[in-house]
Amino acid sequence: KIPYEELIPFATMIKDQHSSIHNQLKDLEHSEKIRQEFTANVSHELKTPLTAITGYSELIEEGIATPEDTIRFSKEIRKNATRLLHLINDIIELSELDSVDEEIIKEELDLYEIAKNCVDTLKITAKNHEVELKLIGNPVFLYANKIMMEELITNLCDNAIRYNKKGGTVKVVTYSVDDKVVLTVEDTGIGIPKEHSVRVFERFYRVDKSRSKQTGGTGLGLAIVKHIVAKHDAKITLKSEVMVGTTITIEFPSMNK
Ligand code: ADP
């Protein structure tokens, strides 16, 4: 017979294990819920442009549209096809980020140089939106995945341009301080109301759905950014004031850390 006192540690162990299993189940339920929501959102997001493409092609097929209408409908078809393409690219990107559990490939990179290439590429988009895009800083080195850094800077600048005002500015800055390499993207745009500032990093969450779609947004840009930040043990902060502007800061661990 085992004395009562000796049974107590076993009872405690069983209780601990029970609560750990309970927590794991809860986590699983939560991720399953997120997965289901994502699938539902993806279906909806894909359906909208596809419905438009089908509708406009039917109108052209009927053969009664004027030449001007036909041009207009073709433009709509192309616009929606481009939208689909962006969406599919972002979905693939996210699912890759989700599935890669193993270490990503990192190399020594100059963040300033990467930012410069991205800014050069985005100059046309900025011009189309009548926004001034500028880069300030010095070469700063970090260990990172090059493609992911390009994606991150491009997504942030793209938002800073699209949610700006005519004649506004986007300022990209790279610098190092203490044991950190820092990137900030600052805009003079419409801003993000406080109550939305956490949720904008969720998949398909938008403050203003129509503006996002009108400017070619997929609702996945910041979710991708958040993932990339996590993969680099970096920290992201968002500061924003409605109708004044938004600043996003990312702090990476420096190479000598
Ligand atoms: P989207 O493709 O819609 O831009 P994101 O995930 O990149 O998706 O951003 C989510 C939402 O956050 C956007 O729809 C927009 O409402 C808001 N947002 C993101 N960046 C900015 C910014 N720089 N200024 C104002 N609003 C922003």
Side-chain angles (χ1 to χ4, degrees), residues 155-156 159-160 162-163 187 190-192 200 202 205-208 212 216-223 246 248:
N155 281 357
L156 291 179
N159 281 348
R162 286 188 297 117
Y163 300 106
D187 68 57
I190 58 170
I192 300 171
V200 287
E202 289 174 18
Y205 189 86
R206 293 143 164 142
V207 177
D208 177 351
S212 160
T218 61
L220 294 174
L222 286 183
T246 303
I248 292 193

Short mmCIF file of all heavy atoms in Angstrom, two decimals, residues 155-156 159-160 162-163 187 190-192 200 202 205-208 212 216-223 246 248, ligand 1:
data_model
loop_
_atom_site.label_atom_id
_atom_site.label_comp_id
_atom_site.label_asym_id
_atom_site.label_seq_id
_atom_site.Cartn_x
_atom_site.Cartn_y
_atom_site.Cartn_z
N ASN A 155 6.13 46.49 -49.16
CA ASN A 155 4.76 46.51 -48.62
C ASN A 155 4.51 47.76 -47.78
O ASN A 155 3.47 48.41 -47.92
CB ASN A 155 4.50 45.28 -47.74
CG ASN A 155 4.21 44.04 -48.56
OD1 ASN A 155 4.15 44.10 -49.78
ND2 ASN A 155 4.06 42.91 -47.92
N LEU A 156 5.48 48.12 -46.95
CA LEU A 156 5.30 49.30 -46.09
C LEU A 156 5.24 50.59 -46.91
O LEU A 156 4.40 51.45 -46.68
CB LEU A 156 6.41 49.39 -45.04
CG LEU A 156 6.41 48.31 -43.96
CD1 LEU A 156 7.58 48.51 -43.01
CD2 LEU A 156 5.10 48.30 -43.19
N ASN A 159 1.96 50.88 -48.94
CA ASN A 159 0.87 51.39 -48.10
C ASN A 159 1.02 52.88 -47.85
O ASN A 159 0.06 53.64 -47.95
CB ASN A 159 0.86 50.68 -46.74
CG ASN A 159 0.24 49.30 -46.82
OD1 ASN A 159 -0.37 48.94 -47.81
ND2 ASN A 159 0.43 48.52 -45.77
N ALA A 160 2.26 53.29 -47.51
CA ALA A 160 2.51 54.70 -47.18
C ALA A 160 2.17 55.60 -48.38
O ALA A 160 1.75 56.75 -48.20
CB ALA A 160 3.96 54.89 -46.76
N ARG A 162 -0.10 54.60 -50.96
CA ARG A 162 -1.53 54.45 -51.30
C ARG A 162 -2.46 55.13 -50.31
O ARG A 162 -3.54 55.57 -50.66
CB ARG A 162 -1.89 52.98 -51.44
CG ARG A 162 -1.35 52.36 -52.72
CD ARG A 162 -1.89 50.97 -52.94
NE ARG A 162 -1.49 50.06 -51.88
CZ ARG A 162 -2.33 49.45 -51.05
NH1 ARG A 162 -3.62 49.63 -51.17
NH2 ARG A 162 -1.87 48.63 -50.14
N TYR A 163 -2.05 55.18 -49.02
CA TYR A 163 -2.92 55.81 -48.02
C TYR A 163 -2.46 57.23 -47.71
O TYR A 163 -2.66 57.73 -46.62
CB TYR A 163 -3.01 54.93 -46.77
CG TYR A 163 -3.57 53.57 -47.08
CD1 TYR A 163 -2.76 52.44 -47.11
CD2 TYR A 163 -4.92 53.42 -47.41
CE1 TYR A 163 -3.26 51.20 -47.44
CE2 TYR A 163 -5.44 52.17 -47.74
CZ TYR A 163 -4.60 51.07 -47.76
OH TYR A 163 -5.11 49.84 -48.09
N ASP A 187 4.74 58.37 -43.16
CA ASP A 187 3.97 59.03 -44.21
C ASP A 187 3.13 60.16 -43.66
O ASP A 187 2.94 60.27 -42.45
CB ASP A 187 3.11 58.01 -44.98
CG ASP A 187 1.99 57.41 -44.15
OD1 ASP A 187 1.17 58.18 -43.63
OD2 ASP A 187 1.94 56.16 -44.02
N ILE A 190 -3.50 59.43 -44.45
CA ILE A 190 -4.81 59.53 -43.77
C ILE A 190 -4.78 58.99 -42.34
O ILE A 190 -5.68 59.23 -41.57
CB ILE A 190 -5.91 58.78 -44.58
CG1 ILE A 190 -5.54 57.30 -44.77
CG2 ILE A 190 -6.14 59.46 -45.91
CD1 ILE A 190 -6.68 56.46 -45.33
N GLY A 191 -3.72 58.22 -42.01
CA GLY A 191 -3.60 57.71 -40.64
C GLY A 191 -4.50 56.51 -40.37
O GLY A 191 -5.36 56.15 -41.18
N ILE A 192 -4.27 55.88 -39.21
CA ILE A 192 -5.06 54.71 -38.81
C ILE A 192 -5.68 55.00 -37.45
O ILE A 192 -4.96 55.25 -36.48
CB ILE A 192 -4.15 53.46 -38.71
CG1 ILE A 192 -3.49 53.18 -40.07
CG2 ILE A 192 -4.91 52.24 -38.21
CD1 ILE A 192 -2.42 52.10 -40.04
N VAL A 200 -5.01 45.85 -37.97
CA VAL A 200 -4.54 45.99 -39.36
C VAL A 200 -3.50 44.93 -39.73
O VAL A 200 -3.26 44.68 -40.91
CB VAL A 200 -3.97 47.40 -39.68
CG1 VAL A 200 -5.08 48.41 -39.78
CG2 VAL A 200 -2.91 47.82 -38.69
N GLU A 202 -3.94 41.81 -39.04
CA GLU A 202 -4.64 40.55 -39.30
C GLU A 202 -4.89 40.39 -40.80
O GLU A 202 -5.01 41.39 -41.52
CB GLU A 202 -6.02 40.57 -38.61
CG GLU A 202 -5.95 40.48 -37.13
CD GLU A 202 -7.33 40.65 -36.50
OE1 GLU A 202 -8.36 40.51 -37.20
OE2 GLU A 202 -7.36 40.97 -35.30
N TYR A 205 -7.84 42.26 -42.92
CA TYR A 205 -8.46 43.34 -42.15
C TYR A 205 -8.12 44.68 -42.81
O TYR A 205 -6.96 44.97 -43.07
CB TYR A 205 -7.97 43.33 -40.69
CG TYR A 205 -8.77 44.29 -39.84
CD1 TYR A 205 -9.95 43.88 -39.24
CD2 TYR A 205 -8.35 45.60 -39.65
CE1 TYR A 205 -10.70 44.76 -38.48
CE2 TYR A 205 -9.10 46.48 -38.89
CZ TYR A 205 -10.26 46.05 -38.31
OH TYR A 205 -11.01 46.93 -37.56
N ARG A 206 -9.14 45.46 -43.09
CA ARG A 206 -8.91 46.78 -43.67
C ARG A 206 -9.72 47.82 -42.91
O ARG A 206 -10.84 47.55 -42.50
CB ARG A 206 -9.38 46.82 -45.13
CG ARG A 206 -8.56 45.95 -46.05
CD ARG A 206 -9.49 45.34 -47.04
NE ARG A 206 -8.80 44.80 -48.17
CZ ARG A 206 -9.18 43.67 -48.75
NH1 ARG A 206 -10.20 43.01 -48.28
NH2 ARG A 206 -8.55 43.22 -49.79
N VAL A 207 -9.15 49.02 -42.79
CA VAL A 207 -9.89 50.09 -42.13
C VAL A 207 -10.99 50.56 -43.08
O VAL A 207 -12.15 50.66 -42.72
CB VAL A 207 -8.96 51.28 -41.77
CG1 VAL A 207 -9.76 52.42 -41.16
CG2 VAL A 207 -7.86 50.81 -40.82
N ASP A 208 -10.61 50.80 -44.32
CA ASP A 208 -11.57 51.26 -45.32
C ASP A 208 -11.49 50.31 -46.52
O ASP A 208 -10.59 50.42 -47.34
CB ASP A 208 -11.22 52.71 -45.71
CG ASP A 208 -12.12 53.26 -46.80
OD1 ASP A 208 -12.90 52.47 -47.38
OD2 ASP A 208 -12.04 54.47 -47.07
N SER A 212 -8.94 50.48 -49.92
CA SER A 212 -7.94 49.43 -50.09
C SER A 212 -8.09 48.77 -51.46
O SER A 212 -7.13 48.58 -52.19
CB SER A 212 -8.09 48.39 -48.98
OG SER A 212 -7.49 47.19 -49.34
N GLY A 216 -5.81 48.84 -55.17
CA GLY A 216 -5.15 47.57 -55.48
C GLY A 216 -4.67 46.79 -54.28
O GLY A 216 -3.85 45.89 -54.40
N GLY A 217 -5.19 47.13 -53.08
CA GLY A 217 -4.77 46.41 -51.88
C GLY A 217 -5.39 45.02 -51.78
O GLY A 217 -6.49 44.79 -52.26
N THR A 218 -4.64 44.10 -51.16
CA THR A 218 -5.17 42.74 -51.01
C THR A 218 -5.61 42.48 -49.57
O THR A 218 -6.24 41.48 -49.28
CB THR A 218 -4.08 41.69 -51.35
OG1 THR A 218 -3.00 41.86 -50.43
CG2 THR A 218 -3.59 41.83 -52.75
N GLY A 219 -5.24 43.37 -48.66
CA GLY A 219 -5.56 43.16 -47.25
C GLY A 219 -4.59 42.19 -46.58
O GLY A 219 -4.80 41.77 -45.44
N LEU A 220 -3.52 41.83 -47.29
CA LEU A 220 -2.57 40.85 -46.73
C LEU A 220 -1.18 41.44 -46.47
O LEU A 220 -0.34 40.80 -45.85
CB LEU A 220 -2.45 39.65 -47.68
CG LEU A 220 -3.71 38.80 -47.83
CD1 LEU A 220 -3.51 37.73 -48.90
CD2 LEU A 220 -4.08 38.14 -46.52
N GLY A 221 -0.96 42.67 -46.97
CA GLY A 221 0.38 43.27 -46.89
C GLY A 221 0.97 43.31 -45.49
O GLY A 221 2.09 42.85 -45.25
N LEU A 222 0.19 43.81 -44.52
CA LEU A 222 0.74 43.94 -43.16
C LEU A 222 0.82 42.59 -42.45
O LEU A 222 1.68 42.40 -41.59
CB LEU A 222 -0.09 44.93 -42.34
CG LEU A 222 0.11 46.41 -42.69
CD1 LEU A 222 -0.71 47.30 -41.75
CD2 LEU A 222 1.58 46.82 -42.62
N ALA A 223 -0.05 41.65 -42.83
CA ALA A 223 0.05 40.29 -42.26
C ALA A 223 1.37 39.66 -42.69
O ALA A 223 2.07 39.01 -41.89
CB ALA A 223 -1.12 39.43 -42.71
N THR A 246 1.25 58.24 -40.54
CA THR A 246 1.58 56.98 -39.86
C THR A 246 3.09 56.76 -39.93
O THR A 246 3.71 57.03 -40.95
CB THR A 246 0.87 55.81 -40.58
OG1 THR A 246 -0.53 56.08 -40.59
CG2 THR A 246 1.13 54.47 -39.89
N ILE A 248 5.78 53.59 -39.18
CA ILE A 248 6.01 52.21 -38.77
C ILE A 248 7.50 52.04 -38.54
O ILE A 248 8.32 52.43 -39.39
CB ILE A 248 5.44 51.22 -39.80
CG1 ILE A 248 3.91 51.32 -39.77
CG2 ILE A 248 5.91 49.79 -39.48
CD1 ILE A 248 3.15 50.26 -40.47
P1 ADP B 1 -4.13 46.54 -47.93
O1 ADP B 1 -3.79 45.66 -49.07
O2 ADP B 1 -5.60 46.70 -47.75
O3 ADP B 1 -3.39 47.82 -47.95
P2 ADP B 1 -2.56 45.83 -45.59
O4 ADP B 1 -2.52 44.56 -44.82
O5 ADP B 1 -1.29 46.29 -46.20
O6 ADP B 1 -3.70 45.67 -46.65
O7 ADP B 1 -3.09 46.96 -44.61
C1 ADP B 1 -4.27 46.72 -43.86
C2 ADP B 1 -5.06 48.03 -43.68
O8 ADP B 1 -4.33 48.92 -42.84
C3 ADP B 1 -5.29 48.79 -44.96
O9 ADP B 1 -6.45 48.34 -45.64
C4 ADP B 1 -5.44 50.23 -44.46
O10 ADP B 1 -6.76 50.44 -44.02
C5 ADP B 1 -4.53 50.27 -43.24
N1 ADP B 1 -3.19 50.85 -43.53
C6 ADP B 1 -2.03 50.18 -43.76
N2 ADP B 1 -0.99 51.01 -43.92
C7 ADP B 1 -1.48 52.26 -43.78
C8 ADP B 1 -0.91 53.60 -43.81
N3 ADP B 1 0.39 53.79 -44.04
N4 ADP B 1 -1.74 54.64 -43.61
C9 ADP B 1 -3.05 54.46 -43.38
N5 ADP B 1 -3.66 53.25 -43.33
C10 ADP B 1 -2.90 52.17 -43.52
#
